[in-house]
Amino acid sequence: MKYLNGLALTSAAILLAACGGGSDTGGSSSVDNSGARGSLVHNPPLRVTGMTAAEFATRLGETANGKSLLQIAGTPKCGVNFHYMEYGTVGGASEATNATGAIMVPTGSDPACAGARPIVLYAHGTTTDRAYNIADILDPARPGASEGSLLGAMYAAQGFIVVAPNYAGYDASRLAYHPYLNADQQSKEMIDALAAARKALPNIGSADSGKLLLTGYSQGGHVAMATHRALQAAGQTVTASAPMSGPYALAAQGEATYFGNVNLGSTVFTPMLVTSFQRAYGNIYTNLTDVYEPGFAPGMDTLLPSTTPIGTLFAEGKLPQTTLFSSTVPTAPTPALQALFNNITPPTTPASLAPLFALGFGTKNLITNQSRVDFLLDALANPDGAVPAVTTGATATAPAHPMRKALKANDLRNWSPKRPVMLCGGNGDPTVFYSINTQLMKSLWTAPSPLAPAAGLLTVLDVDSASPGAGDPFAAARAGFAQAKAATYAAGGANAVTQAYHGSLVPPFCNAAARGFFQQVLASGI
Amino acid sequence: MKSLNTLTASVLALACLGSGAASAQTEWLAGTTVRLGYTHLAPNSSATDAVGPLLPGPPSGVSLKVDSQRTLFFSLARDINPNVEVELALGLPPTHDVRAELSPALPPNVQRLNGQVIAKVRQIAPTLYVNYKFGEANSAFRPFVGLGVNYTNFDKRESTALGNQLNGGPTDLRLTDSWGLAAQAGLNYKINDKWSLSAAVLTARVKTQLTATTAGQARKIDIRFRPTVFTLSAGYVF
């Protein structure tokens, strides 16, 4: 009888065992919720998807974009595992926060894919999409899928580990804004994402060779250069960098805009910059109407990035599509200044860009004339060395206007690289002007300028230029760009080229050139 | 190993019964029928597509199917009157293989895992029945039907290596408890006053929500079971 009772008790015990805790996850994983800079929250980070080289090639071949990417990037040598990580970092006011990003790891037995691999730390371009996730390439329609696939094909499938943060203020980041073009925050975040990714690598079957390559496009071009500057200042390894189409001379780009050279995308860039700098420095405005017209001011500090598509924000009148400034000429304090204001509202030269600038002016404008005039008066009193006229090429010595001070604080015309740098862009860029960014950096970094780096460290590529001939390592990038530009022109004329130039025509060719540059630096063992 | 354990348990249990029969009966067990036997459990699961972050779709095309399992059946039954008995059905908790059921629309790198065992889940499912037995108390053959309440708890969950591959890393699995109606129909054969044999088919309504958490990303699947459970058992009346 004792035994029977024993059996009954066993059954009861089995019932009680029901109150269990976690399951057997079939592997070890750890969680770091410290929020410390560079902490990796989940280790190993989630693998979003993993493909062999052949599967990746097949998948790219399924879409038109993928096909052209395959042509430019070449057939994948390596399989790629796409991971999604969350890490601790800081916001624009040094507040602790979190952000997410991608780690792409080459796989396969090809010698170009196995063993310890170099890391490409990539900074993405401006996006208004709060849900931007460069690790999520599962569906081509998702916001980060196009850039994520490009990185996978261009770098990871050719043997580079890719680390690409989504940035604080995007995806699952708790930060309520994005520290847009904040050189200090963005370089810190890149370094934090890299530290977090390095913690993950041993747990996702990968290893880091210690070689670090920095690149990024547009906003990310600025971020990549700021990161190079920060790592160099901290005495840490940078193997090479290849910033692409970035507003490196941020103050010069800002001056150009306020002098009427309104770039394509300015109604997005301006509020993102104003919000970023207000959060970092607190002195850009007291009331939103100090900067924005009353029709747009309410909520402008939290409008971008948004989960609402930018087209909808335009359609709903939350943001003007192109009209940054008023077409009513601002009133100047003197007749001479009035003549200047007349000439830049909007500017009519150069003739080729006049139609672009004209789009920046209208009656439903974003920025008040008063705000523009205040900026311009300071710009005339304490001029930038590159805009409106090239003098020293350097930033303004003593800007007094808070926005101009902020732009200068995040301008990258104040350093000189000690490792190889390639600047890539296209001279016809209607969004980030080539002449006052890439060309300007080139002149500042060319002897006899005091900032000139050691000979041979600087390479500048304008993909929108003719090849100098035999021996040009970038002949393919130039030819590919020319072909793509011609095809866009044939399909939609000059306007189509303008629309596609910065966002889709230049990026793949500059990335291909950047990869070639990195491979050359690695091979040379400099 | 598992089947060996089950066998050992059965032998031990039968030995217990034997010794129990030989010893003096306690007051509370008097009139209780103890049944011990074999159960085959076909879960007939139907599951929604997984929903959650970083999945394809929607629909994600990622679902699952729960495999059949056999186990040791054990129940305690007591007559309320000659035609009505109350039965508490237990059993050695079975561990089921869970297989990936993946849409053909998914890319080949995911398709590779279709039909593979992605998890192992153990369930404890006590069910309390009220059975109506047809015929006279002394009839050799007595068909019966029963209606009851089932409680199901998934006490042990393990994501397999392939499951982790599908989910993208070490994965924690949780399944909510289920309460639902149960029904059975069967036939008792009385060997003598003490011993009998039973065969029964039973089913229950079992609903659960699976949460698979991988590196902080929780994906959910609703699973409904309409199990077909077949049991063969020997009963002994104390």
Side-chain angles (χ1 to χ4, degrees):
Chain A
M1 192 54 249
K2 209 191 302 171
Y3 295 106
L4 187 61
N5 275 340
L7 185 65
L9 284 174
T10 308
S11 297
I14 287 168
L15 284 174
L16 288 174
C19 328
S23 78
D24 183 347
T25 55
S28 70
S29 57
S30 63
V31 176
D32 180 352
N33 280 324
S34 70
R37 282 190 53 194
S39 58
L40 177 66
V41 178
H42 299 281
N43 195 358
L46 182 79
R47 195 185 65 235
V48 177
T49 189
M51 287 174 274
T52 63
E55 284 165 349
F56 194 21
T58 305
R59 189 183 169 118
L60 289 169
E62 283 165 359
T63 62
N65 282 344
K67 269 189 201 132
S68 67
L69 183 55
L70 266 180
Q71 246 175 11
I72 302 164
T75 306
K77 281 184 190 156
C78 318
V80 182
N81 283 346
F82 293 79
H83 292 266
Y84 172 69
M85 66 165 166
E86 182 183 347
Y87 53 88
T89 188
V90 287
S94 297
E95 67 275 42
T97 191
N98 68 322
T100 63
I103 309 172
M104 302 174 197
V105 165
T107 61
S109 53
D110 189 299
C113 312
R117 310 305 317 160
I119 294 180
V120 168
L121 181 58
Y122 178 88
H124 72 70
T126 306
T127 172
T128 60
D129 199 327
R130 179 80 167 79
Y132 199 81
N133 182 359
I134 208 163
D136 187 359
I137 60 142
L138 291 173
D139 184 331
R142 294 194 188 165
S146 162
E147 203 165 4
S149 302
L150 184 146
L151 297 181
M154 197 66 76
Y155 300 105
Q158 302 294 327
F160 296 91
I161 296 165
V162 176
V163 177
N166 291 324
Y167 299 157
Y170 288 93
D171 187 48
S173 170
R174 287 185 298 272
L175 200 67
Y177 66 99
H178 169 53
Y180 186 61
L181 291 168
N182 179 325
D184 178 60
Q185 186 280 340
Q186 293 225 262
S187 57
K188 281 179 177 158
E189 179 169 358
M190 293 293 280
I191 292 165
D192 293 343
L194 177 65
R198 281 186 163 142
K199 291 181 178 117
L201 293 178
N203 298 314
I204 54 177
S206 186
D208 162 17
S209 73
K211 303 283 183 195
L212 179 64
L213 306 154
L214 309 171
T215 187
Y217 191 81
S218 187
Q219 172 193 3
H222 180 272
V223 176
M225 188 184 285
T227 306
H228 190 160
R229 186 181 66 170
L231 283 168
Q232 181 173 297
Q236 295 185 30
T237 304
V238 174
T239 304
S241 74
M244 304 179 287
S245 302
Y248 320 115
L250 192 60
Q253 178 82 33
E255 309 282 302
T257 304
Y258 276 77
F259 275 99
N261 294 359
V262 180
N263 54 342
L264 199 63
S266 65
T267 58
V268 165
F269 307 143
T270 307
M272 287 186 71
L273 272 173
V274 168
T275 299
S276 168
F277 294 161
Q278 175 71 11
R279 293 283 193 152
Y281 314 121
N283 65 348
I284 304 299
Y285 56 78
T286 307
N287 299 301
L288 288 165
T289 45
D290 297 347
V291 176
Y292 305 112
E293 288 288 353
F296 293 111
M300 190 53 75
D301 52 340
T302 53
L303 186 67
L304 297 175
S306 172
T307 48
T308 306
I310 189 70
T312 309
L313 296 179
F314 290 148
E316 287 175 348
K318 297 268 170 57
L319 202 62
Q321 192 158 353
T322 60
T323 49
L324 185 68
F325 295 128
S326 172
S327 50
T328 303
V329 180
T331 310
T334 67
L337 281 178
Q338 192 63 59
L340 170 70
F341 286 4
N342 291 344
N343 280 337
I344 60 171
T345 309
T348 49
T349 55
S352 61
L353 291 172
L356 173 71
F357 300 155
L359 290 174
F361 293 82
T363 50
K364 294 229 184 263
N365 53 298
L366 181 63
I367 304 295
T368 65
N369 261 352
Q370 185 60 53
S371 167
R372 185 177 174 217
V373 167
D374 291 345
F375 187 110
L376 286 173
L377 292 179
D378 186 54
L380 293 165
N382 303 291
D384 184 276
V387 178
V390 180
T391 53
T392 60
T395 52
T397 316
H401 187 272
M403 191 66 186
R404 293 190 70 236
K405 280 188 188 166
L407 289 165
K408 181 185 171 181
N410 294 285
D411 191 292
L412 303 175
R413 280 177 281 174
N414 61 353
W415 76 295
S416 180
K418 296 194 171 100
R419 293 291 306 169
V421 173
M422 182 183 81
L423 300 178
C424 184
N427 72 70
D429 197 322
T431 300
V432 178
F433 300 129
Y434 187 87
S435 60
I436 57 170
N437 289 291
T438 305
Q439 190 66 40
L440 179 57
M441 292 311 296
K442 183 183 178 182
S443 65
L444 286 172
W445 281 349
T446 302
S449 163
L451 287 178
L457 287 188
L458 180 65
T459 304
V460 178
L461 171 63
D462 173 8
V463 290
D464 197 356
S465 66
S467 177
D472 174 18
F474 304 117
R478 290 182 216 261
F481 175 84
Q483 198 181 7
K485 185 180 167 189
T488 305
Y489 186 86
N495 188 47
V497 171
T498 302
Q499 295 296 327
Y501 199 99
H502 180 79
S504 34
L505 285 177
V506 176
F509 300 103
C510 271
N511 271 291
R515 186 183 75 198
F517 173 70
F518 290 155
Q519 284 165 335
Q520 177 209 319
V521 171
L522 290 173
S524 72
I526 304 170
Chain B
M1 188 61 213
K2 195 188 297 163
S3 54
L4 186 62
N5 277 340
T6 309
L7 185 66
T8 314
S10 313
V11 171
L12 278 174
L14 284 168
C16 296
L17 269 185
S19 77
S23 65
Q25 293 166 14
T26 54
E27 197 76 356
W28 68 272
L29 256 180
T32 299
T33 306
V34 175
R35 298 191 179 106
L36 194 69
Y38 162 91
T39 289
H40 181 268
L41 204 162
N44 304 327
S45 67
S46 57
T48 59
D49 276 11
V51 294
L54 294 156
L55 289 170
S60 67
V62 176
S63 192
L64 56 82
K65 195 101 195 155
V66 180
D67 274 6
S68 297
Q69 186 55 287
R70 295 162 298 183
T71 188
L72 183 74
F73 173 78
F74 172 71
S75 84
L76 295 167
R78 211 175 158 89
D79 282 350
I80 303 294
N81 67 41
N83 290 96
V84 177
E85 91 178 357
V86 177
E87 181 182 28
L88 175 64
L90 303 163
L92 213 59
T95 299
H96 296 266
D97 284 350
V98 179
R99 291 178 190 276
E101 201 167 66
L102 303 172
S103 156
L106 289 169
N109 59 313
V110 184
Q111 271 299 323
R112 277 203 294 269
L113 294 167
N114 194 29
Q116 300 291 327
V117 176
I118 53 169
K120 290 175 184 288
V121 173
R122 189 171 86 166
Q123 53 135 331
I124 296 174
T127 308
L128 189 68
Y129 290 103
V130 175
N131 296 328
Y132 183 84
K133 300 186 280 188
F134 297 94
E136 301 294 322
N138 53 3
S139 311
F141 286 98
R142 294 190 77 187
F144 67 91
V145 293
L147 203 64
V149 178
N150 165 270
Y151 167 76
T152 302
N153 172 278
F154 301 90
D155 75 316
K156 281 195 173 173
R157 297 88 54 198
E158 181 199 348
S159 175
T160 64
L162 291 174
N164 289 347
Q165 205 177 314
L166 180 65
N167 286 303
T171 299
D172 177 77
L173 302 175
R174 312 238 165 172
L175 293 105
T176 54
D177 294 351
S178 166
W179 286 94
L181 280 178
Q184 64 171 337
L187 185 66
N188 280 334
Y189 171 67
K190 192 168 175 175
I191 299 168
N192 57 36
D193 276 355
K194 289 292 181 191
W195 291 94
S196 61
L197 293 175
S198 295
V201 175
L202 45 112
T203 189
R205 295 163 73 103
V206 180
K207 278 172 80 171
T208 183
Q209 186 177 60
L210 165 71
T211 304
T213 307
T214 314
Q217 304 299 314
R219 285 85 171 249
K220 292 178 189 295
I221 294 181
D222 290 318
I223 312 170
R224 201 189 63 175
F225 299 94
R226 290 290 175 270
T228 310
V229 183
F230 180 68
T231 69
L232 270 177
S233 61
Y236 180 86
V237 191
F238 289 88

